């Protein structure tokens, strides 16, 4: 499990996916700090790593990355850590389009496709 602060190649994510879940890498994105944690077995593990690193929980969102899938559909917004009624997010997804856009921007900057 690691915190991605600088751009990484898609091939690294693909290798990580094959070593863990076969086709998917779990990630938690900090939309405020512009970084993400990857490689955890659970989103909550990655969330804990980012909290220890100084992130604020309200800026953390769990996603799944599918490196072998085309750019349009390779990010899945689905995690238990996303359920936050206090922030108006009542599902495992990310209900706010602005937050989804911020997540896509961070991932797009950090992963070289």
């Amino acid at each position: 499990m690691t915190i991605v602060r600088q751009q990484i190649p898609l091939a690294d994510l693909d290798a990580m996916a094959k070593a863990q879940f076969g086709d998917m890498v779990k990630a938690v994105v900090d939309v405020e700090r512009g970084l993400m944690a990857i490689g955890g077995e659970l989103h909550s593990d990655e969330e804990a790593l980012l909290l220890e690193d100084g992130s604020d929980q309200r800026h953390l969102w769990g996603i799944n990355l599918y490196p072998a899938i085309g750019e349009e559909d390779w990010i899945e917004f689905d995690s238990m850590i996303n359920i936050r009624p206090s922030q108006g997010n009542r599902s495992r997804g990310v209900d706010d389009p602005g937050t989804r856009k911020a997540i896509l921007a961070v991932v797009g900057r950090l992963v070289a496709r």
Side-chain angles (χ1 to χ4, degrees), residues 13-107:
L13 283 180
D14 192 41
M16 185 178 284
K18 288 176 179 157
Q20 284 192 302
F21 299 103
D23 62 347
M24 180 258 295
V25 175
K26 291 181 181 287
V28 173
V29 176
D30 183 329
V31 294
E32 180 70 16
R33 296 173 68 203
L35 46 81
M36 67 180 176
I38 59 172
E41 188 168 320
L42 301 170
H43 287 117
S44 59
D45 296 334
E46 296 163 339
E47 179 184 46
L49 178 65
L50 288 172
L51 291 172
E52 289 173 14
D53 191 62
S55 292
D56 186 325
Q57 199 273 335
R58 65 191 163 118
H59 299 299
L60 301 180
W61 297 94
I63 60 172
N64 299 315
L65 303 172
Y66 294 87
I69 295 180
E71 191 169 353
E72 298 265 330
D73 299 318
W74 82 294
I75 298 175
E76 176 183 49
F77 300 94
D78 182 21
S79 173
M80 290 295 291
I81 71 165
N82 296 339
I83 300 173
R84 275 181 237 158
S86 65
Q87 286 183 246
N89 202 81
R90 298 185 178 277
S91 74
R92 293 169 50 112
V94 178
D95 299 337
D96 178 59
T99 303
R100 284 197 305 272
K101 185 176 177 181
I103 292 167
L104 291 171
V106 171
V107 174

